[in-house]
Structures are given as structure tokens and as C-alpha cells.
Amino acid sequence: MPLRFLTAGESHGPELTAILEGMPAGLPIDRAALDLLMARRQKGFGSGGRMAIERDRVRITAGVMAGRTTGAPIALTIPNKDYESWRDRDVEALTVPRPGHADLSATVKYGYGDLRLALERASARELAARAAVGGICAQLLAHFGVVIGSYVVQIGDVAMAADAGYPALFAAAETSDVRCPDPAAAARMHAAIQAAARDRDTLGGVFEVVALGVPPGLGSHVHWDRRLTGRLLGAVTSIPAIKGAEIGPAFANAARRGTAVHDRFGLDAADPDRIVRAGSHGGGLEGGITTGDPIVIRGAMKPISTTLTPLPSVDLATGRAAVTRYERSDICAVPRAAVAAEAMVAFVLADALLEKLGGDRMAELDERFARLRGNRVSDVPMDGGTWRFGYDDKGRDG
Ligand code: EPS
């Protein structure tokens, strides 16, 4: 897989760092678009005090010169403003793990003497670095006409009902403080977050990420790790607190019959060479390969595990039962997770596009993109003849 990235950095350390390797040379980088994605990832009602401190702006220190990628690894850093209030501070021992958090599991694994060493890296603050990476990937995709957006469809038990075209849903989500395009549901989601805060509790939810304009033929059915379905679901569930994901209405499809689920093929009335699918039950993928239809991925986020209400736990310093102590956190981070998921989807799709196109510079990619096969009868000619199934050299012509 041609594209890869690493991130480093603690939640309250000086900065987050990412290196993105494998981008072709010659892609113009739009700073304003990158800043916008970073700012969108910081928005959302239900965020804690930290989001009022940070103003994420990416510093690019390698791999982009004179406004264009050079083909070299791209280094991205994002300062943590909050570091100023943490540097050289004597911190109280943190020895009571929060249920549901990485506190205990990471400490059991790494043998830390204080839980803070686990939470500093487990923190979703790291998503700022992924947003920077995804922002660069989204610009490669945008060059080829791919648009990625997201919106929140559920917070707690409040679900939206809006049904509109994807561009309209994307636009409406940007105007909502909970990223929900349905104003009535958004108001109820806002109220649900307020109620959870009042009750000293937290909320999770469900978001949808949609990629439009993805060409058919990315990913492959031939091997497990080339199926784009798994690559996309893995990327979305790599976001902290995302415990489930589906492509299209996968769980609802599981309750239906096949004839009600599979998107029928037909020929476009206006262009009879073009094969079209009626419906969107497949979520834009068949056989782990993109179909050319919108790719729809849903992610389910569990409620934040840092609750104002103390939860029963164990004090690792005394070995006795204890309750958790509150650390500043979010009440609901689903709107921010949706944008982080956009970034992860952008990375996976950019990787799959580069795999398909190959090439080291944009001019090469452009030529190859123009020659991609589409969903056209003339693109997949067959003569309808019989042939002999077997593994020797006696094929149909043998
Ligand atoms: C987070 C806890 C909060 C969030 C943070 C994720 O930070 P703090 O512990 O400093 O209050 O604000 O999210 C971000 C900083 C971010 O950029 O999204 C956690 O424990 O995961």
C-alpha cells in the first residue's frame, strides 16, 4: 500500500507530529483548506474546556516546498497550547483507572507507575495529527473530483430523520453545533447533551461519513487485506471510542431478504452504455471494490469514559476499592469524531487511489486517471463463448 503515516505526541506535551509518506510530487497544497478541516474537527457542542484553549494550525516542515508536494515525506506538526499549563508541573498521582478507558488496559500492558502515562497517548487529542494527514489526502482526492463529508445521525437515543442529497446534508451539518443536518433532531441532540451534563454523565452516538465521486475499481476482492471494506472499517474503528462501524445500512440489511437488499443493475435511460445501480444498500462497495456510487460509512461511538459521576474502580496504589476522580473531558465528542473519521476515510481512499494509479508525480496520475475503466458495457466486452474450466494449459483456445 503506497501511502502510510505515523503520528507521535502526548495530549499535553509540546506538540503532535505526523509524517505522511508516499504522496506524489506536484500536488498544490491549499493551506486555507487544511486550516478549515482542522477548525471543523474542533467544533461541536458537548466539548470540554480544552477545545476553548486549542486553535489547531498545522506547521508543514518537510515534503511541501513552494506550495507543492515534492514526493518526499511530509512532516506536519500541531502545537498543544495547553502544554504551557502542564510543563514542569508537579502532578498528583493518578491511580484509580476509569472503566472503559485505556487507563487500566494500557497500564497492565506497559507496567506504568501512574495512569497519566497511559492517558496521555490514549487521548483523542492525537486525532488533530490525523486530521492534518487526512487534510493532505483529501486534497489529493479533491484533485480527482472526490468529495468527503460527514454528519451526525444520532446522539444518545436521539436520531435524525432528514433525507436529502449528500451535498445538502454536508452543508446543513456545517451550520449545526452538533453536526446534525436535521434542525429538529439537532435541537433534541443539543438538549440531550445538556441533560447528560446536568446528570454528570456522557453521551455517545453515530455519525456517517460519505465519499462522493470515488471512481470504480479501488480495492480488490482477491485478497483479504486488499478488500477496501475492511480497510475503511478498520480505519474508522481506529478512532478512540469508536466501537462499531458499518458500510451502508449493513446491520439493517442483515434483517432483510436478499431481493430487498441487492441494488439492481440496469442501463441508464439517457446513456444505454452505462450500467447503473438502483438503490444504495451496498454503501458504494461490492466485493471490497468501489462501485463508483457514494461510499457510506457509519461509526458508532461509545459514551466518553470520563464521567463526572464517580464510577466504581480499584485504587492501584492501595489495592482497595475506590471511585474514579474526574479529569477535565468532553460530555459528547461525536461531532468531532465525525470529522476525524472523514480524515481517516480520506487517507484510506487516497492510498487505494495511489495503488490503482501508481506514479510519482501528478502529471502521471492525471494521465492514468483519465484512462480508468468505468461502469460501461463497452468497458467490459465479452463474447459469450464457452471455455474449459481447468488449471492446465488447455484453455478455450488450447
Ligand atoms: C480527551 C480529553 C480532552 C479532550 C481531548 C480528548 O482533553 P483534556 O484532557 O486536555 O481536557 O478535549 O480532545 C482533544 C484535545 C482534541 O483535540 O480533540 C481524551 O481524554 O481523549
Side-chain angles (χ1 to χ4, degrees):
M1 289 162 205
L3 205 55
R4 54 198 170 135
F5 77 93
L6 290 172
T7 73
E10 279 78 41
S11 180
H12 305 101
E15 63 189 16
L16 299 162
T17 307
I19 296 181
L20 174 62
E21 203 278 321
M23 286 295 285
L27 175 71
I29 295 300
D30 178 345
R31 288 297 319 213
L34 191 55
D35 289 343
L36 179 66
L37 180 77
M38 298 304 287
R40 287 173 60 237
R41 195 205 65 86
Q42 290 202 271
K43 284 183 4 192
F45 182 65
S47 292
R50 179 75 182 273
M51 285 303 92
I53 298 169
E54 305 296 344
R55 285 283 169 277
D56 293 341
R57 272 190 61 85
V58 184
R59 261 184 81 216
I60 302 179
T61 54
V64 179
M65 300 187 85
R68 284 176 188 265
T69 56
T70 64
I74 299 173
L76 306 158
T77 61
I78 302 119
N80 285 322
K81 288 191 192 296
D82 204 29
Y83 176 55
E84 286 315 314
S85 54
W86 282 83
R87 78 189 298 171
D88 301 328
R89 177 165 130 190
D90 290 326
V91 287
E92 236 180 283
L94 194 59
T95 57
V96 182
R98 290 162 287 182
H101 200 275
D103 288 350
L104 181 60
S105 54
T107 296
V108 167
K109 181 172 171 68
Y110 289 97
Y112 298 132
D114 188 283
L115 298 173
R116 193 165 300 284
L117 297 173
L119 77 84
E120 279 295 335
R121 182 62 184 163
S123 168
R125 174 67 185 150
E126 186 253 350
L127 296 175
R130 298 205 219 173
V133 166
I136 303 281
C137 294
Q139 295 193 19
L140 175 75
L141 294 168
H143 176 89
F144 293 105
V146 178
V147 172
I148 299 177
S150 71
Y151 43 88
V152 169
V153 297
Q154 189 181 326
I155 284 184
D157 62 2
V158 181
M160 80 161 191
D163 194 11
Y166 290 118
L169 293 175
F170 296 165
E174 298 306 323
T175 67
S176 158
D177 70 353
V178 288
R179 277 201 86 65
C180 176
D182 171 350
R188 284 185 288 122
M189 289 175 183
H190 187 106
I193 295 170
Q194 281 175 321
R198 231 178 7 251
D199 296 343
R200 302 170 74 77
D201 219 326
T202 58
L203 280 179
V206 180
F207 57 77
E208 218 161 87
V209 176
V210 180
L212 305 174
V214 180
L218 307 192
S220 177
H221 67 293
V222 302
H223 205 250
W224 71 269
D225 57 354
R226 294 182 59 193
R227 285 184 175 258
L228 207 59
T229 313
R231 287 160 66 185
L232 286 165
L233 294 175
V236 169
T237 52
S238 75
I239 294 169
I242 309 304
K243 300 286 272 191
E246 61 177 343
I247 302 283
F251 284 88
N253 285 348
R256 298 184 181 121
R257 289 187 169 184
T259 52
V261 165
H262 299 298
D263 305 325
R264 289 150 168 71
F265 297 133
L267 294 172
D268 188 345
D271 176 3
D273 189 39
R274 215 176 132 235
I275 305 166
V276 290
R277 287 170 177 79
S280 54
H281 293 87
L285 290 155
E286 282 171 0
I289 302 172
T290 57
T291 63
D293 287 334
I295 297 179
V296 182
I297 307 155
R298 292 179 148 224
M301 185 177 205
K302 67 180 178 178
I304 298 285
S305 53
T306 310
T307 56
L308 268 157
T309 299
L311 288 178
S313 182
V314 173
D315 188 333
L316 302 177
T318 65
R320 298 219 176 87
V323 292
T324 52
R325 200 184 72 206
Y326 186 65
E327 278 269 325
R328 179 187 67 190
S329 191
D330 307 308
I331 302 294
C332 175
V334 180
R336 302 213 313 275
V339 180
E342 277 182 37
M344 289 308 294
V345 167
F347 168 74
V348 172
L349 292 179
D351 183 38
L353 184 69
L354 291 175
E355 202 170 71
K356 177 76 185 163
L357 298 177
D360 301 304
R361 54 196 175 85
M362 291 305 289
E364 265 170 0
L365 272 73
D366 285 339
E367 278 171 30
R368 294 173 187 185
F369 187 83
R371 292 201 302 271
L372 286 182
R373 204 185 287 254
N375 288 315
R376 308 193 76 87
V377 177
S378 56
D379 273 345
V380 282
M382 293 186 184
D383 64 11
T386 55
W387 57 287
R388 186 181 309 148
F389 187 95
Y391 294 87
D392 54 24
D393 57 4
K394 294 196 213 83
R396 189 167 97 216
D397 303 316

